[in-house]
């Protein structure tokens, strides 16, 4: 009998990481064992991302390496899921004949059936059908025992002109509130302390459901559940960040003081051509309101440099906005033209050297801001949910503050899964160093 070793390779955003937890859980239920060693796998599944061209190139060069493994082990099966699979469907077989199975972003629960078809030896198998209402899977193999992701909506209707997600994840579908609460109650029973509610645009939650209230209502229902100590959510679209939601963040004790609020650019004409549907002024006003309600809030963002037609002036507006807002952290991207998107058809594409220059400048600017803000925390006390041993230094424990900053510190392993109070002893660029301030964990 052939072994059932499964290697699962995951790229892209939290959506994909969460989908991989579902894939791992479902296939474990089918008798597969997860392995990190590609050489001993009988099945390799790649969960792909195509948000930028580089991600896609990486995938195709990796497929080359997988073809080599298949030469050595002809019974190896290779499957491709995620966003490239959703977009390309069966075309992947033409480009990469070593691939046996293609499954889309909404067909994960059909994997056992698709694998059975594959084993029956009738040739290659593909399913990228858009399925309405495929939400929860009973088996999820979660990476952490302390914090968990919970999908509250799938897809996106925003069609930002640069973005492929609406094409790879389909239209917005909200998960019914009771299903979400059931999943979180189950997590609480298993001892999870933190949940992150996931969606491409969580602020639009519930708009497509008849009986469901809006996102602030959902947050308050989650806040009422016993056992869960911290609630996060991502991603928020600035245009849908309502006064009501900001009020709920301030009011609900378990909702952490952190928001990821992608601004993308600081110039109104660029924002308009990106189809973001807010101005830089409106964005600034929301940041000011958040800080008035929650003075210690951690704010992170995404910025794209080199969007088509971004002039030196436009770029200067982005830089000003970053200097003014002083983000705690910033994810910076060079614009990458994606097939099917409107922005890819715009003339006036920005040359690579200019993108690179702007990229390096903003990176340096933000490094200064992040480091300064982290150093300002030295001597302060922070609450940290202990997640486990630090990857970099296994002698230390690691966790995050409510504002989403990583803190590493020395302490007994028994603290994993508990909230502890730490004193920050050093602010660094990507993390803080702390020491236990109180003996008793909560
Ligand atoms: N739904 C989320 C995440 C989208 S993808 C949101 O709306 O924020 C994460 C980030 O990737 C985006 O915020 C954007 O900054 C970046 N991104 C998306 N498409 C891109 C492209 N074509 N080129 C460069 N960066 C891109
Ligand atoms: Fe993409 Fe915009 Fe939707 Fe985010 S909101 S997933 S950037 S289209
Ligand atoms: Fe990538 Fe798909 Fe996420 S394109 S960023 S994995 S939604």
């Amino acid at each position: 009998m052939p072994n059932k070793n499964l290697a699962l390779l995951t790229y892209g955003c939290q959506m994909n990481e969460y989908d991989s937890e579902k894939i791992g859980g479902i296939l474990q239920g089918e008798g597969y064992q997860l392995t990190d060693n590609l050489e001993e796998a009988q099945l390799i599944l790649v969960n792909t991302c195509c948000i930028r061209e580089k991600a896609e190139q990486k995938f195709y060069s990796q497929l080359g390496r997988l073809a080599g493994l298949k030469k050595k082990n002809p019974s190896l099966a290779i499957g491709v899921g995620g966003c490239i699979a959703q977009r390309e469907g069966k075309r992947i077989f033409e480009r990469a004949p070593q691939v046996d199975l293609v499954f889309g972003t909404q067909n994960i629960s059909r994997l056992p059936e698709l694998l059975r078809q594959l084993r029956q030896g009738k040739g290659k198998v593909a399913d990228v059908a858009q399925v309405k209402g495929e939400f929860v899977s009973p088996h999820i193999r979660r990476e952490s025992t302390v914090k968990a992701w919970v999908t509250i909506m799938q897809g996106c209707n925003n069609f930002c002109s640069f973005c492929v997600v609406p094409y790879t994840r389909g239209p917005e579908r909200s998960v019914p509130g009771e299903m979400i609460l059931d999943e979180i109650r189950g997590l609480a029973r298993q001892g999870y302390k933190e949940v992150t509610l996931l969606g491409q645009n969580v602020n639009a939650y519930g708009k497509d459901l008849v009986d469901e209230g809006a996102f602030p209502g959902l947050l308050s229902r989650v806040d009422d559940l016993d056992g869960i100590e911290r609630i996060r959510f991502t991603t928020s679209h600035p245009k849908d960040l309502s006064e009501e939601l900001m009020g709920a963040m301030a009011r609900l004790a378990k909702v952490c003081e952190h928001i990821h609020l992608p601004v993308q650019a600081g110039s109104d004409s660029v924002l308009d051509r990106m189809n973001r549907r807010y101005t830089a002024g409106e964005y600034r006003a929301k940041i000011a309101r958040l800080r008035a309600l929650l003075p210690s809030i951690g704010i992170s963002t995404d910025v794209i440099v080199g969007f088509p037609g971004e002039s030196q002036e436009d770029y200067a507006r982005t830089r000003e906005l970053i200097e003014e807002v002083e983000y705690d952290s910033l994810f910076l991207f060079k614009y990458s033209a994606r097939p099917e998107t409107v922005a890819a058809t715009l003339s006036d594409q920005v040359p690579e050297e200019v993108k690179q220059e702007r990229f390096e400048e903003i990176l340096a600017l933000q490094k200064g801001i992040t480091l300064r803000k982290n150093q300002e925390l030295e001597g302060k006390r922070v609450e940290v949910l202990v997640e486990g041993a630090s990857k970099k230094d296994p002698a230390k424990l690691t966790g995050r503050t409510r504002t989403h900053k990583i803190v590493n510190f020395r302490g007994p392993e028994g603290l994993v899964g508990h909230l502890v109070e730490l004193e920050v002893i050093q602010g660094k660029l990507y993390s803080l160093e702390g020491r236990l301030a109180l003996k008793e964990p909560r």
Side-chain angles (χ1 to χ4, degrees):
M1 171 142 171
N3 75 44
K4 282 182 114 180
N5 284 332
L6 160 70
L8 189 50
L9 308 170
T10 308
Y11 301 89
C13 64
Q14 290 112 322
M15 286 285 168
N16 262 14
E17 288 182 34
Y18 185 46
D19 285 348
S20 282
E21 292 185 346
K22 289 188 189 163
I23 295 171
I26 290 174
L27 294 186
Q28 265 183 342
E30 295 283 306
Y32 283 89
Q33 283 153 359
L34 275 135
T35 173
D36 292 330
N37 183 348
L38 296 184
E39 311 256 332
E40 65 177 38
Q42 282 307 105
L43 173 63
I44 299 180
L45 296 180
V46 194
N47 197 0
T48 59
C49 172
C50 53
I51 195 83
R52 285 167 288 274
E53 196 182 351
K54 244 199 204 140
E56 201 157 341
Q57 285 165 351
K58 249 195 219 156
F59 163 68
Y60 283 106
S61 64
Q62 184 182 44
L63 273 186
R65 286 196 295 279
L66 297 185
L69 286 176
K70 202 161 175 168
K71 270 203 189 113
K72 281 194 246 161
N73 172 12
S75 65
L76 169 67
I78 298 176
V80 178
C83 288
I84 298 180
Q86 187 65 50
R87 216 190 53 211
E88 296 293 321
K90 286 183 178 159
R91 275 180 297 193
I92 289 183
F93 296 138
E94 290 158 28
R95 204 164 156 181
Q98 66 274 35
V99 174
D100 305 287
L101 164 70
V102 170
F103 59 101
T105 51
Q106 294 154 56
N107 320 102
I108 288 168
S109 63
R110 288 206 64 225
L111 267 176
E113 170 58 24
L114 300 175
L115 288 167
R116 258 189 292 280
Q117 288 175 17
L118 195 63
R119 275 198 304 273
Q120 283 164 2
K122 290 182 192 145
K124 298 186 184 291
V125 175
D127 186 0
V128 293
Q130 305 249 357
V131 184
K132 229 183 157 211
E134 195 207 49
F135 290 132
V136 276
S137 103
H139 315 280
I140 302 178
R141 186 184 165 275
R142 297 189 187 264
E143 290 292 325
S144 163
T145 53
V146 179
K147 58 177 190 178
W149 285 314
V150 175
T151 300
I152 64 161
M153 61 187 305
Q154 301 185 345
C156 183
N157 291 349
N158 283 321
F159 290 92
C160 301
S161 65
F162 50 81
C163 183
V164 291
V165 171
Y167 306 92
T168 63
R169 296 272 168 176
E172 283 171 4
R173 283 112 45 217
S174 300
V175 181
E178 260 323 300
M179 273 170 113
I180 297 170
L181 295 173
D182 270 350
E183 186 171 349
I184 299 176
R185 281 189 205 107
L187 289 166
R189 276 196 298 275
Q190 291 170 57
Y192 283 87
K193 292 277 170 66
E194 179 179 305
V195 289
T196 302
L197 309 178
L198 265 190
Q200 297 296 348
N201 176 18
V202 290
N203 306 1
Y205 173 78
K207 285 188 181 161
D208 57 324
L209 297 176
V210 188
D211 303 327
E212 218 53 66
F215 185 56
L218 178 70
L219 272 183
S220 111
R221 288 162 80 190
V222 178
D223 197 77
D224 282 341
L225 299 179
D226 289 334
I228 298 298
E229 307 264 4
R230 284 178 165 194
I231 305 166
R232 301 185 188 278
F233 55 89
T234 197
T235 303
S236 299
H237 193 301
K239 78 173 160 56
D240 296 318
L241 178 62
S242 62
E243 178 62 29
E244 197 191 350
L245 176 54
M246 293 190 269
M249 289 178 73
R251 190 177 67 248
L252 300 171
K254 295 176 186 171
V255 175
C256 289
E257 298 80 58
H258 171 250
I259 192 163
H260 183 62
L261 199 61
V263 67
Q264 312 298 358
S267 143
D268 287 343
S269 85
V270 171
L271 287 170
D272 184 45
R273 278 177 294 121
M274 285 177 162
N275 191 30
R276 292 290 287 180
R277 289 172 280 167
Y278 53 83
T279 63
E282 287 162 353
Y283 182 92
R284 284 180 165 91
K286 291 199 177 171
I287 297 281
R289 182 72 185 132
L290 282 166
R291 287 195 165 136
L293 288 166
L294 292 159
S296 66
I297 191 169
I299 304 179
S300 53
T301 200
D302 294 343
V303 167
I304 297 178
V305 288
F307 184 80
E310 184 188 67
S311 66
Q312 206 53 36
E313 301 278 86
D314 291 325
Y315 165 66
R317 300 286 89 78
T318 299
R319 225 176 35 213
E320 278 165 18
L321 185 135
I322 293 169
E323 282 170 341
E324 199 183 305
V325 173
E326 301 191 307
Y327 291 102
D328 292 272
S329 66
L330 182 153
F331 300 88
L332 184 61
F333 307 104
K334 285 187 272 182
Y335 169 74
S336 165
R338 305 313 296 135
E340 288 186 86
T341 61
V342 171
T345 64
L346 299 176
S347 49
D348 232 3
Q349 298 282 328
V350 174
E352 181 57 30
E353 316 83 76
V354 178
K355 282 186 200 168
Q356 186 61 29
E357 224 170 79
R358 294 178 183 172
F359 183 86
E360 284 170 19
E361 204 176 58
I362 291 194
L363 210 59
L365 167 66
Q366 182 60 40
K367 269 189 180 172
I369 298 172
T370 303
L371 186 61
R372 183 167 47 69
K373 294 197 85 166
N374 286 348
Q375 286 173 341
E376 279 167 11
L377 289 171
E378 288 173 7
K380 302 247 161 64
R381 287 198 172 187
V382 289
E383 180 205 272
V384 165
L385 176 59
V386 187
E387 294 174 18
S390 153
K391 282 203 179 99
K392 266 199 189 146
D393 179 358
K396 287 185 185 160
L397 294 171
T398 190
R400 283 186 192 257
T401 63
R402 288 175 63 95
T403 57
H404 211 231
K405 292 180 191 272
I406 296 173
V407 193
N408 297 314
F409 66 103
R410 285 183 198 282
E413 222 175 287
L415 291 181
V416 174
H418 290 275
L419 290 162
V420 294
E421 189 135 327
L422 299 177
E423 182 192 332
V424 178
I425 49 177
Q426 193 191 358
K428 303 198 289 191
L429 191 50
Y430 299 108
S431 63
L432 309 171
E433 291 295 314
R435 80 171 147 234
L436 282 168
L438 293 176
K439 291 262 149 41
E440 291 300 310
R442 271 208 279 140

